[in-house]
Amino acid sequence: QICLSLVKLLFYLAHSPLGSIVLLDFQPRQFVMVDGNLKVTDMDDASTEELSCKEDNDCTLEFPTKSFPLKCSTVGKCEGINEKKNLFNAYRYFFTYLLPHSAPLPLQPFLRDILNATGDLRYGINETLKAFEKVLHLYKSGLYLQKRPLLLKEYISLKGFRTVEAEDYKCWPSYSHLGCLLSVHSAEEAAAICSSQSQCQSFIVTQQRTWTGRPLASFQSSPTDLIPDVNAVVYIKRSASSGERL
């Protein structure tokens, strides 16, 4: 969410009515999340000036660990230097820390491609935004889910009940510090996750939604302490001892 919002912001800066805007003091502390969108807190160090040049050799974009040769345009400006500087800083300060582990396994190759392409500046901001929107579409639609045996049939469903929220086994990246609370596309995906975790014996798909509209599923090591809830369904492994009693 943070990286996509940042890319949308940089897309606007690259195509702003004032021209391509560069953030000269590009640091994480310069940004804040407001209602799910990343905002710049200080525009004092923003500039629309692009580096003047006479030849291509005047247009080297330098960073502490990398440098990139750019072209000198016919009007004597280094082509796309502001856009590329913003994009590489996004790679340095955000993408390298947030992208590698922030998606289901089938989507991680797409994020690695974005990471490598922006790290080498093979992508401009237009291509980067398009790549992020593709990943988001796959994530929201569930199209990333690989064809696999249907595992939900291995669970008993108890409609009209939910489990009591309590501290349980931890997983990553959980939305709750009390236990294992993960975003899923459907109960079928939740069943696949539960089946892959040795501690998991039951799960419930909650009414909570993430910023993408996907529900959160709570996974438990014990399906005890059920309480009535007309809007809920508890799924219990048939192999669980409590499932056998049921």
Side-chain angles (χ1 to χ4, degrees), residues 62-223:
E62 294 186 352
F63 294 95
T65 57
K66 275 189 175 183
S67 61
F68 302 95
L70 303 181
K71 296 288 186 182
C72 182
S73 71
T74 55
V75 294
K77 298 289 183 181
C78 296
E79 287 185 358
I81 192 168
N82 288 351
E83 172 188 329
K84 293 180 185 297
K85 188 171 184 178
N86 283 341
L87 189 55
F88 190 77
N89 277 327
Y91 161 82
R92 291 170 67 197
Y93 294 113
F94 288 88
F95 298 172
T96 54
Y97 298 104
L98 299 178
L99 286 187
H101 311 291
S102 60
L105 283 174
L107 289 178
Q108 288 185 15
F110 294 97
L111 295 183
R112 280 196 296 272
D113 287 345
I114 293 174
L115 197 62
N116 293 333
T118 53
D120 295 334
L121 284 184
R122 286 185 285 110
Y123 279 2
I125 192 61
N126 294 0
E127 295 87 353
T128 303
L129 179 57
K130 187 179 297 184
F132 266 102
E133 289 179 336
K134 176 182 177 180
V135 176
L136 180 63
H137 172 67
L138 294 173
Y139 184 61
K140 292 175 70 173
S141 65
L143 290 173
Y144 69 91
L145 293 170
Q146 299 169 330
K147 292 187 182 299
R148 63 180 77 183
L150 298 179
L151 298 173
L152 198 58
K153 63 181 184 294
E154 298 177 8
Y155 292 78
I156 296 170
S157 62
L158 294 179
K159 296 180 180 179
F161 291 92
R162 64 177 172 84
T163 52
V164 177
E165 186 176 357
E167 190 166 352
D168 208 319
Y169 78 92
K170 309 296 192 297
C171 67
W172 193 91
S174 177
Y175 282 79
S176 169
H177 67 280
L178 292 175
C180 187
L181 186 67
L182 300 174
S183 165
V184 297
H185 178 258
S186 62
E188 185 61 55
E189 184 182 12
I193 293 172
C194 187
S195 296
S196 71
Q197 298 177 345
S198 59
Q199 309 100 309
C200 185
Q201 296 299 316
S202 68
F203 68 88
I204 176 174
V205 180
T206 74
Q207 300 297 309
Q208 294 175 268
R209 301 275 170 170
T210 69
W211 66 280
T212 61
R214 287 162 53 102
L216 294 176
S218 177
F219 301 87
Q220 291 99 22
S221 59
S222 172

Side-chain angles (χ1 to χ4, degrees), residues 160-161 205 207 229-233:
F161 291 92
V205 180
Q207 300 297 309
D229 186 335
V230 294
N231 297 315
V233 181

Side-chain angles (χ1 to χ4, degrees), residues 1-50:
Q1 181 182 13
I2 292 172
C3 291
L4 175 61
S5 188
L6 175 59
V7 169
K8 288 181 177 179
L9 174 62
L10 297 187
F11 179 85
Y12 172 78
L13 293 180
H15 302 284
S16 85
L18 299 176
S20 183
I21 299 174
V22 63
L23 301 176
L24 299 175
D25 186 19
F26 197 115
Q27 298 284 342
R29 64 172 180 268
Q30 298 284 61
F31 300 90
V32 64
M33 289 293 284
V34 179
D35 297 328
N37 295 305
L38 207 66
K39 306 284 187 182
V40 183
T41 59
D42 185 2
M43 292 294 288
D44 288 346
D45 294 307
S47 173
T48 57
E49 291 295 319
E50 292 194 308

